[in-house]
Short mmCIF file of all heavy atoms in Angstrom, two decimals:
data_model
loop_
_atom_site.label_atom_id
_atom_site.label_comp_id
_atom_site.label_asym_id
_atom_site.label_seq_id
_atom_site.Cartn_x
_atom_site.Cartn_y
_atom_site.Cartn_z
N ALA A 83 127.48 150.41 163.18
CA ALA A 83 126.84 149.17 162.69
C ALA A 83 126.12 148.41 163.80
O ALA A 83 125.05 147.85 163.58
CB ALA A 83 127.89 148.26 162.04
N ASN A 84 126.71 148.42 164.99
CA ASN A 84 126.20 147.55 166.05
C ASN A 84 125.29 148.26 167.04
O ASN A 84 124.64 147.61 167.86
CB ASN A 84 127.37 146.91 166.81
CG ASN A 84 128.19 145.98 165.92
OD1 ASN A 84 127.82 145.73 164.78
ND2 ASN A 84 129.29 145.48 166.44
N HIS A 85 125.22 149.59 166.99
CA HIS A 85 124.40 150.29 167.97
C HIS A 85 123.59 151.43 167.35
O HIS A 85 122.36 151.40 167.36
CB HIS A 85 125.29 150.81 169.11
CG HIS A 85 124.53 151.35 170.28
ND1 HIS A 85 123.55 150.64 170.92
CD2 HIS A 85 124.61 152.54 170.94
CE1 HIS A 85 123.05 151.36 171.92
NE2 HIS A 85 123.68 152.52 171.95
N ILE A 86 124.27 152.42 166.79
CA ILE A 86 123.56 153.63 166.34
C ILE A 86 122.53 153.31 165.25
O ILE A 86 121.35 153.67 165.38
CB ILE A 86 124.57 154.70 165.86
CG1 ILE A 86 125.42 155.18 167.04
CG2 ILE A 86 123.84 155.87 165.20
CD1 ILE A 86 126.57 156.12 166.65
N GLU A 87 122.96 152.65 164.19
CA GLU A 87 122.03 152.40 163.07
C GLU A 87 120.84 151.53 163.50
O GLU A 87 119.69 151.85 163.16
CB GLU A 87 122.77 151.78 161.87
CG GLU A 87 123.81 152.68 161.22
CD GLU A 87 123.23 153.91 160.50
OE1 GLU A 87 121.99 154.04 160.42
OE2 GLU A 87 124.03 154.74 160.05
N PRO A 88 121.06 150.45 164.24
CA PRO A 88 119.89 149.65 164.67
C PRO A 88 118.93 150.44 165.54
O PRO A 88 117.71 150.27 165.43
CB PRO A 88 120.53 148.49 165.47
CG PRO A 88 121.92 148.39 164.98
CD PRO A 88 122.34 149.78 164.58
N GLN A 89 119.44 151.31 166.40
CA GLN A 89 118.57 152.12 167.26
C GLN A 89 117.73 153.09 166.42
O GLN A 89 116.52 153.22 166.62
CB GLN A 89 119.39 152.90 168.29
CG GLN A 89 120.12 152.03 169.32
CD GLN A 89 119.16 151.31 170.26
OE1 GLN A 89 117.98 151.64 170.38
NE2 GLN A 89 119.67 150.29 170.94
N LEU A 90 118.39 153.78 165.50
CA LEU A 90 117.67 154.74 164.65
C LEU A 90 116.61 154.02 163.83
O LEU A 90 115.48 154.51 163.67
CB LEU A 90 118.66 155.47 163.73
CG LEU A 90 119.67 156.40 164.42
CD1 LEU A 90 120.67 156.94 163.40
CD2 LEU A 90 118.96 157.57 165.12
N LYS A 91 116.97 152.86 163.31
CA LYS A 91 116.04 152.09 162.48
C LYS A 91 114.81 151.66 163.30
O LYS A 91 113.70 151.57 162.77
CB LYS A 91 116.77 150.86 161.94
CG LYS A 91 116.13 150.27 160.70
CD LYS A 91 117.01 149.18 160.09
CE LYS A 91 116.22 148.40 159.05
NZ LYS A 91 116.95 147.19 158.62
N ALA A 92 115.04 151.39 164.59
CA ALA A 92 113.93 150.98 165.46
C ALA A 92 113.11 152.17 165.93
O ALA A 92 112.18 152.02 166.72
CB ALA A 92 114.49 150.21 166.66
N GLY A 93 113.46 153.37 165.45
CA GLY A 93 112.65 154.54 165.77
C GLY A 93 113.11 155.28 167.02
O GLY A 93 112.47 156.26 167.43
N ARG A 94 114.18 154.83 167.63
CA ARG A 94 114.67 155.52 168.83
C ARG A 94 115.66 156.61 168.45
O ARG A 94 116.42 156.47 167.50
CB ARG A 94 115.33 154.51 169.77
CG ARG A 94 114.32 153.66 170.54
CD ARG A 94 114.98 152.75 171.54
NE ARG A 94 115.60 151.60 170.91
CZ ARG A 94 114.96 150.46 170.61
NH1 ARG A 94 113.68 150.32 170.91
NH2 ARG A 94 115.59 149.48 170.03
N TRP A 95 115.63 157.70 169.22
CA TRP A 95 116.64 158.73 169.03
C TRP A 95 117.97 158.25 169.64
O TRP A 95 117.98 157.44 170.57
CB TRP A 95 116.23 160.02 169.74
CG TRP A 95 115.05 160.73 169.15
CD1 TRP A 95 114.00 160.18 168.47
CD2 TRP A 95 114.80 162.14 169.21
NE1 TRP A 95 113.11 161.15 168.11
CE2 TRP A 95 113.57 162.37 168.55
CE3 TRP A 95 115.47 163.22 169.75
CZ2 TRP A 95 113.01 163.64 168.42
CZ3 TRP A 95 114.92 164.49 169.63
CH2 TRP A 95 113.71 164.70 168.96
N VAL A 96 119.05 158.77 169.08
CA VAL A 96 120.38 158.49 169.62
C VAL A 96 121.02 159.81 170.01
O VAL A 96 121.13 160.72 169.18
CB VAL A 96 121.25 157.75 168.58
CG1 VAL A 96 122.68 157.60 169.09
CG2 VAL A 96 120.66 156.37 168.26
N VAL A 97 121.39 159.93 171.28
CA VAL A 97 122.10 161.12 171.77
C VAL A 97 123.54 160.69 172.02
O VAL A 97 123.81 159.86 172.90
CB VAL A 97 121.47 161.65 173.08
CG1 VAL A 97 122.28 162.84 173.61
CG2 VAL A 97 120.01 162.02 172.86
N CYS A 98 124.48 161.22 171.24
CA CYS A 98 125.86 160.73 171.28
C CYS A 98 126.82 161.84 171.75
O CYS A 98 126.86 162.92 171.16
CB CYS A 98 126.27 160.21 169.90
SG CYS A 98 127.85 159.35 169.91
N ASP A 99 127.55 161.54 172.81
CA ASP A 99 128.56 162.44 173.35
C ASP A 99 129.80 162.32 172.46
O ASP A 99 130.57 161.38 172.58
CB ASP A 99 128.86 162.00 174.80
CG ASP A 99 129.82 162.94 175.51
OD1 ASP A 99 130.50 163.73 174.85
OD2 ASP A 99 129.88 162.84 176.76
N ARG A 100 129.94 163.25 171.56
CA ARG A 100 131.01 163.31 170.55
C ARG A 100 130.78 162.36 169.38
O ARG A 100 130.30 161.25 169.54
CB ARG A 100 132.40 163.00 171.15
CG ARG A 100 132.89 164.07 172.08
CD ARG A 100 134.41 164.25 171.88
NE ARG A 100 134.87 165.42 172.62
CZ ARG A 100 135.55 165.35 173.76
NH1 ARG A 100 135.85 164.19 174.28
NH2 ARG A 100 135.94 166.44 174.36
N PHE A 101 131.18 162.86 168.19
CA PHE A 101 131.12 162.04 166.98
C PHE A 101 132.19 162.58 166.01
O PHE A 101 133.24 163.05 166.47
CB PHE A 101 129.68 162.06 166.40
CG PHE A 101 129.40 160.98 165.40
CD1 PHE A 101 129.41 159.64 165.77
CD2 PHE A 101 129.11 161.29 164.07
CE1 PHE A 101 129.15 158.64 164.84
CE2 PHE A 101 128.84 160.30 163.13
CZ PHE A 101 128.86 158.98 163.53
N THR A 102 131.94 162.53 164.74
CA THR A 102 132.99 162.83 163.76
C THR A 102 133.46 164.29 163.81
O THR A 102 134.62 164.58 163.48
CB THR A 102 132.51 162.45 162.34
OG1 THR A 102 132.10 161.08 162.38
CG2 THR A 102 133.61 162.61 161.31
N ASP A 103 132.58 165.21 164.21
CA ASP A 103 133.06 166.59 164.36
C ASP A 103 134.22 166.66 165.35
O ASP A 103 135.11 167.50 165.20
CB ASP A 103 131.90 167.49 164.83
CG ASP A 103 130.83 167.64 163.76
OD1 ASP A 103 131.15 168.10 162.64
OD2 ASP A 103 129.67 167.28 164.03
N ALA A 104 134.21 165.79 166.35
CA ALA A 104 135.31 165.76 167.32
C ALA A 104 136.61 165.32 166.66
O ALA A 104 137.70 165.78 167.03
CB ALA A 104 134.97 164.83 168.49
N THR A 105 136.52 164.42 165.68
CA THR A 105 137.72 163.98 164.97
C THR A 105 138.31 165.14 164.17
O THR A 105 139.52 165.38 164.19
CB THR A 105 137.39 162.80 164.03
OG1 THR A 105 136.70 161.80 164.78
CG2 THR A 105 138.65 162.22 163.43
N TYR A 106 137.44 165.88 163.46
CA TYR A 106 137.92 167.07 162.74
C TYR A 106 138.53 168.07 163.72
O TYR A 106 139.55 168.69 163.43
CB TYR A 106 136.77 167.73 161.97
CG TYR A 106 136.39 167.05 160.68
CD1 TYR A 106 135.29 166.21 160.61
CD2 TYR A 106 137.13 167.27 159.53
CE1 TYR A 106 134.93 165.59 159.41
CE2 TYR A 106 136.78 166.66 158.33
CZ TYR A 106 135.68 165.82 158.28
OH TYR A 106 135.34 165.22 157.10
N ALA A 107 137.91 168.24 164.89
CA ALA A 107 138.37 169.26 165.83
C ALA A 107 139.66 168.83 166.53
O ALA A 107 140.61 169.61 166.61
CB ALA A 107 137.28 169.56 166.85
N TYR A 108 139.70 167.59 167.04
CA TYR A 108 140.86 167.15 167.83
C TYR A 108 142.03 166.71 166.95
O TYR A 108 143.15 167.17 167.12
CB TYR A 108 140.47 166.01 168.79
CG TYR A 108 139.82 166.54 170.04
CD1 TYR A 108 138.47 166.90 170.06
CD2 TYR A 108 140.57 166.74 171.20
CE1 TYR A 108 137.88 167.42 171.20
CE2 TYR A 108 139.99 167.26 172.34
CZ TYR A 108 138.65 167.59 172.33
OH TYR A 108 138.08 168.11 173.46
N GLN A 109 141.76 165.78 166.01
CA GLN A 109 142.87 165.30 165.17
C GLN A 109 143.20 166.35 164.10
O GLN A 109 144.37 166.63 163.85
CB GLN A 109 142.52 163.96 164.53
CG GLN A 109 142.79 162.75 165.44
CD GLN A 109 141.80 162.62 166.57
OE1 GLN A 109 140.62 162.88 166.42
NE2 GLN A 109 142.29 162.22 167.73
N GLY A 110 142.16 166.89 163.45
CA GLY A 110 142.40 167.86 162.39
C GLY A 110 142.91 169.19 162.94
O GLY A 110 143.98 169.66 162.57
N GLY A 111 142.13 169.79 163.86
CA GLY A 111 142.51 171.10 164.40
C GLY A 111 143.61 170.97 165.44
O GLY A 111 144.68 171.57 165.31
N GLY A 112 143.36 170.16 166.47
CA GLY A 112 144.30 170.07 167.59
C GLY A 112 145.64 169.49 167.19
O GLY A 112 146.69 170.08 167.45
N ARG A 113 145.61 168.34 166.52
CA ARG A 113 146.86 167.67 166.15
C ARG A 113 147.35 168.05 164.77
O ARG A 113 148.34 167.48 164.29
CB ARG A 113 146.69 166.15 166.24
CG ARG A 113 146.38 165.67 167.64
CD ARG A 113 146.45 164.17 167.78
NE ARG A 113 146.00 163.79 169.10
CZ ARG A 113 146.75 163.86 170.20
NH1 ARG A 113 147.99 164.28 170.10
NH2 ARG A 113 146.26 163.53 171.37
N ARG A 114 146.61 168.95 164.09
CA ARG A 114 147.02 169.46 162.78
C ARG A 114 147.18 168.38 161.73
O ARG A 114 148.06 168.48 160.85
CB ARG A 114 148.34 170.25 162.90
CG ARG A 114 148.23 171.53 163.73
CD ARG A 114 149.46 172.39 163.47
NE ARG A 114 149.43 173.68 164.13
CZ ARG A 114 150.05 173.96 165.26
NH1 ARG A 114 150.75 173.03 165.88
NH2 ARG A 114 149.99 175.16 165.78
N MET A 115 146.37 167.31 161.80
CA MET A 115 146.40 166.32 160.73
C MET A 115 145.63 166.89 159.54
O MET A 115 144.69 167.66 159.70
CB MET A 115 145.73 165.04 161.18
CG MET A 115 146.44 164.37 162.32
SD MET A 115 145.85 162.68 162.51
CE MET A 115 146.40 161.99 160.95
N GLY A 116 146.00 166.46 158.34
CA GLY A 116 145.26 166.91 157.16
C GLY A 116 143.82 166.43 157.22
O GLY A 116 143.55 165.29 157.63
N THR A 117 142.89 167.30 156.84
CA THR A 117 141.49 166.88 156.89
C THR A 117 141.11 166.01 155.69
O THR A 117 140.05 165.41 155.69
CB THR A 117 140.55 168.10 156.98
OG1 THR A 117 140.88 169.01 155.95
CG2 THR A 117 140.68 168.77 158.33
N ASP A 118 141.99 165.92 154.68
CA ASP A 118 141.68 165.02 153.56
C ASP A 118 141.52 163.58 154.03
O ASP A 118 140.58 162.88 153.62
CB ASP A 118 142.81 165.07 152.51
CG ASP A 118 142.76 166.33 151.67
OD1 ASP A 118 141.80 167.11 151.84
OD2 ASP A 118 143.67 166.52 150.84
N ASP A 119 142.44 163.13 154.89
CA ASP A 119 142.35 161.77 155.40
C ASP A 119 141.04 161.58 156.18
O ASP A 119 140.37 160.56 156.05
CB ASP A 119 143.53 161.46 156.35
CG ASP A 119 144.84 161.25 155.58
OD1 ASP A 119 144.80 161.21 154.34
OD2 ASP A 119 145.89 161.11 156.24
N ILE A 120 140.70 162.57 157.00
CA ILE A 120 139.49 162.46 157.80
C ILE A 120 138.26 162.38 156.89
O ILE A 120 137.37 161.55 157.10
CB ILE A 120 139.37 163.65 158.78
CG1 ILE A 120 140.61 163.71 159.70
CG2 ILE A 120 138.08 163.55 159.61
CD1 ILE A 120 140.63 164.91 160.64
N ARG A 121 138.25 163.22 155.86
CA ARG A 121 137.11 163.20 154.94
C ARG A 121 136.99 161.85 154.23
O ARG A 121 135.88 161.32 154.06
CB ARG A 121 137.25 164.33 153.91
CG ARG A 121 136.29 165.50 154.15
CD ARG A 121 136.33 166.49 153.00
NE ARG A 121 137.61 167.18 152.95
CZ ARG A 121 137.88 168.31 153.61
NH1 ARG A 121 136.96 168.88 154.36
NH2 ARG A 121 139.06 168.88 153.52
N GLN A 122 138.12 161.29 153.81
CA GLN A 122 138.08 159.98 153.15
C GLN A 122 137.53 158.91 154.09
O GLN A 122 136.71 158.07 153.70
CB GLN A 122 139.50 159.55 152.73
CG GLN A 122 139.99 160.20 151.45
CD GLN A 122 141.29 159.56 150.95
OE1 GLN A 122 141.79 158.61 151.53
NE2 GLN A 122 141.83 160.10 149.87
N LEU A 123 137.98 158.94 155.33
CA LEU A 123 137.54 157.93 156.29
C LEU A 123 136.07 158.12 156.66
O LEU A 123 135.33 157.15 156.84
CB LEU A 123 138.43 157.97 157.54
CG LEU A 123 139.87 157.53 157.29
CD1 LEU A 123 140.76 157.86 158.49
CD2 LEU A 123 139.95 156.04 156.97
N GLU A 124 135.65 159.37 156.76
CA GLU A 124 134.23 159.66 157.03
C GLU A 124 133.36 159.05 155.94
O GLU A 124 132.34 158.39 156.22
CB GLU A 124 134.02 161.18 157.10
CG GLU A 124 132.61 161.61 157.46
CD GLU A 124 132.48 163.13 157.49
OE1 GLU A 124 133.13 163.84 156.69
OE2 GLU A 124 131.72 163.64 158.34
N ALA A 125 133.75 159.24 154.68
CA ALA A 125 132.97 158.69 153.56
C ALA A 125 132.99 157.17 153.59
O ALA A 125 131.97 156.51 153.37
CB ALA A 125 133.52 159.21 152.23
N MET A 126 134.16 156.59 153.91
CA MET A 126 134.30 155.13 153.92
C MET A 126 133.44 154.50 155.01
O MET A 126 132.82 153.46 154.80
CB MET A 126 135.80 154.82 154.18
CG MET A 126 136.26 153.44 153.81
SD MET A 126 138.05 153.25 154.18
CE MET A 126 138.81 154.35 152.95
N VAL A 127 133.41 155.13 156.17
CA VAL A 127 132.75 154.53 157.34
C VAL A 127 131.27 154.92 157.43
O VAL A 127 130.44 154.11 157.82
CB VAL A 127 133.49 154.95 158.63
CG1 VAL A 127 132.68 154.66 159.88
CG2 VAL A 127 134.85 154.24 158.68
N GLN A 128 130.95 156.14 157.08
CA GLN A 128 129.60 156.64 157.32
C GLN A 128 128.72 156.69 156.08
O GLN A 128 127.50 156.85 156.21
CB GLN A 128 129.66 158.05 157.93
CG GLN A 128 130.32 158.09 159.28
CD GLN A 128 130.53 159.50 159.81
OE1 GLN A 128 131.59 159.81 160.34
NE2 GLN A 128 129.55 160.36 159.64
#
Side-chain angles (χ1 to χ4, degrees):
Chain A
N84 296 354
H85 190 52
I86 294 173
E87 295 292 356
Q89 294 293 344
L90 294 174
K91 202 172 167 190
R94 284 185 284 275
W95 291 29
V96 173
V97 177
C98 190
D99 185 343
R100 291 218 171 105
F101 196 64
T102 306
D103 293 302
T105 309
Y106 282 100
Y108 279 81
Q109 276 73 37
R113 297 190 186 280
R114 294 195 176 100
M115 296 195 64
T117 51
D118 284 355
D119 286 353
I120 302 176
R121 253 188 292 272
Q122 280 190 3
L123 293 169
E124 183 181 35
M126 199 180 291
V127 166
Q128 296 173 223

